Amino acid sequence: NAGVTQTPKFQVLKTGQSMTLQCAQDMNHEYMSWYRQDPGMGLRLIHYSVGAGITDQGEVPNGYNVSRSTTEDFPLRLLSAAPSQTSVYFCASSYAQGASLYGYTFGSGTRLTVV
Amino acid sequence: DAKTTQPNSMESNEEEPVHLPCNHSTISGTDYIHWYRQLPSQGPEYVIHGLTSNVNNRMASLAIAEDRKSSTLILHRATLRDAAVYYCILRAFKTGANNLFFGTGTRLTVIP
């Protein structure tokens, strides 16, 4: 089925460990973004990309890296996990231009716990 | 990005209409009004969007005030599956990045 696929669905890390959250979409969307959602709060933008090779920071980028080597994939890397990064992470994609005219498609999320 | 204000929570009886309000008094002429919802343990889901005129789709209707300073998402017959957090978001129509900035939304409870 077409959509945004996130892996893994659940992950537990120890403080200081690094890992990569995977995000892939098969809709040929140019625009992809990563959000985090802490308990009882709305989503906050971490990083985004408007096309292959182009990335930029969102509201809360510290502690995270991204790259966009292909249109389909947009991995999020945690460099040195901290308990404050315990959250649910969502990846989303859309058309880059006219994005206000179309809805964003979100993945089902990765629930990350840092101990 | 212009800010929106929504009630923290609302309740509705099953199979009755639900009107979810959103205030956006600082909206600019190029801002579209988007609505998303998030069901428990899922990612947000696009519901509807509009600019000036009222909009209808299979999920809901969007009523936009004439001065565009407020809008209302209308679910015509609430079902238990509509229990979710509903987010009202303003997005400027522009090229380049078009990020969504979420507030805390309205938690809708549907009573059987």
Side-chain angles (χ1 to χ4, degrees), chain B residues 37 39 59 75 77-86 108 110:
Chain B
R37 72 179 186 180
L39 279 64
M59 291 181 68
L75 306 179
R77 287 184 63 210
T79 69
L80 297 178
R81 293 175 59 184
D82 291 322
V85 178
Y86 287 78
L108 175 66
V110 179

Side-chain angles (χ1 to χ4, degrees), chain A residues 31 33 35 37 40-43 45 48 50 59 90 96-104 106-108 111, chain B residues 32 34 36 38 41-46 49 87 91-104:
Chain A
Y31 187 76
S33 52
Y35 291 84
Q37 185 173 33
M41 299 182 66
L43 282 72
L45 181 67
Y48 63 95
V50 298
E59 303 173 82
F90 291 101
Q97 295 205 3
S100 292
L101 304 180
Y102 299 98
Y104 285 73
F106 283 81
S108 58
R111 186 175 297 274
Chain B
Y32 281 76
H34 282 238
Y36 283 75
Q38 187 175 21
S41 301
Q42 295 188 26
E45 174 187 28
Y46 167 80
H49 75 273
Y87 296 98
R91 286 307 311 139
F93 178 56
K94 59 183 179 181
T95 57
N98 281 273
N99 301 307
L100 298 175
F101 291 94
F102 288 79
T104 53

Side-chain angles (χ1 to χ4, degrees), chain A residues 52-85:
Chain A
I54 306 170
T55 63
D56 207 344
Q57 297 181 349
E59 303 173 82
V60 289
N62 292 339
Y64 307 94
N65 272 356
V66 292
S67 60
R68 185 93 180 273
S69 56
T70 66
T71 300
E72 294 78 17
D73 300 300
F74 191 43
L76 178 71
R77 282 183 289 276
L78 278 70
L79 308 174
S80 178
S84 61
Q85 294 178 304

Side-chain angles (χ1 to χ4, degrees), chain B residues 3-110:
Chain B
K3 189 175 180 180
T4 62
T5 304
Q6 300 176 252
N8 289 332
S9 63
M10 292 184 64
E11 287 186 352
S12 173
N13 293 319
E14 193 176 10
E15 298 193 2
E16 289 188 356
V18 182
H19 291 234
L20 299 167
C22 181
N23 288 322
H24 28 78
S25 58
T26 60
I27 190 171
S28 72
T30 57
D31 285 339
Y32 281 76
I33 303 160
H34 282 238
W35 283 83
Y36 283 75
R37 72 179 186 180
Q38 187 175 21
L39 279 64
S41 301
Q42 295 188 26
E45 174 187 28
Y46 167 80
V47 177
I48 200 166
H49 75 273
L51 182 62
T52 56
S53 302
N54 295 343
V55 183
N56 300 295
N57 67 20
R58 64 175 179 82
M59 291 181 68
S61 296
L62 176 60
I64 301 172
E66 192 170 340
D67 64 5
R68 301 209 326 126
K69 294 184 184 300
S70 66
S71 61
T72 302
L73 179 70
I74 302 166
L75 306 179
H76 296 287
R77 287 184 63 210
T79 69
L80 297 178
R81 293 175 59 184
D82 291 322
V85 178
Y86 287 78
Y87 296 98
C88 171
I89 302 169
L90 300 183
R91 286 307 311 139
F93 178 56
K94 59 183 179 181
T95 57
N98 281 273
N99 301 307
L100 298 175
F101 291 94
F102 288 79
T104 53
T106 297
R107 182 174 299 277
L108 175 66
T109 300
V110 179

